[in-house]
Amino acid sequence: MLSPIDNGPPTSKLPSIDCFSGPYNFNISVINSEAPIKKSASWTFSLKLNKLYCHPNVACPIDISVSSLPPSGSVVRATAVFSKYEHIEQVVTRCENHKKSKEFDSDADISESALSHFIRCRHAKAIYEEELITGRQSVTVPFEKPQSRKKNKNF
């Protein structure tokens, strides 16, 4: 589902890349394997560079934790941002060759208008959005309460 983001003030052309955990101590991390990193790995996260490297159409386990549950109806939004400051104003999208093709089996359920999105989510309630003024794309999923006795939620 693709939805324009038109409520509230326009998004800044300079998105914040600063860490801010807010009143719920929100934390997001990529679940790292204990095994040594191999060149053939589907994905890897560099703690040193704070960057995720991933092959196309590969699910990367993301861990989200909070100190207390946010209000009902809260969502988690993911937006891709270029890491080099001189490119931070540019919108991250898929390349032209891959924007319009449903090249992977998992693309079958994605609407045509969401194909340009760089970040994909396999959550049944994922909503693909595009900010009207900047064109910045994001995907949101509802924040879900973790299973009992767990502090974190896996997405």
Side-chain angles (χ1 to χ4, degrees), residues 25 38 51 57 60 84 135-137:
N25 293 314
K38 298 177 182 175
K51 287 185 182 181
N57 201 39
C60 301
K84 289 191 175 182
R136 195 164 299 279
Q137 299 174 330

Side-chain angles (χ1 to χ4, degrees), residues 77-132:
R77 179 182 309 277
T79 303
V81 178
F82 285 109
S83 59
K84 289 191 175 182
Y85 193 75
E86 60 265 25
H87 302 294
I88 204 163
E89 285 187 30
Q90 296 175 7
V91 175
V92 179
T93 62
R94 293 182 73 172
C95 71
E96 291 299 322
N97 291 336
H98 296 99
K99 274 186 181 180
K100 298 296 180 192
S101 67
K102 292 192 175 190
E103 59 191 317
F104 301 110
D105 292 340
S106 61
D107 289 342
D109 296 334
I110 294 177
S111 69
E112 293 290 328
S113 55
L115 283 174
S116 68
H117 282 251
F118 182 75
I119 297 177
R120 301 288 180 85
C121 183
R122 293 184 180 162
H123 193 286
K125 295 182 180 177
I127 298 175
Y128 295 88
E129 298 179 312
E130 188 169 308
E131 208 279 328
L132 291 174

Side-chain angles (χ1 to χ4, degrees), residues 14 44 52 73 119 151:
L14 294 173
T44 187
L52 175 65
I119 297 177
K151 292 172 104 175

Side-chain angles (χ1 to χ4, degrees), residues 33 35-45 53-56 58:
S33 164
I37 298 171
K38 298 177 182 175
K39 283 192 174 195
S40 63
S42 305
W43 60 270
T44 187
F45 182 76
Y53 299 92
C54 181
H55 289 282
V58 171

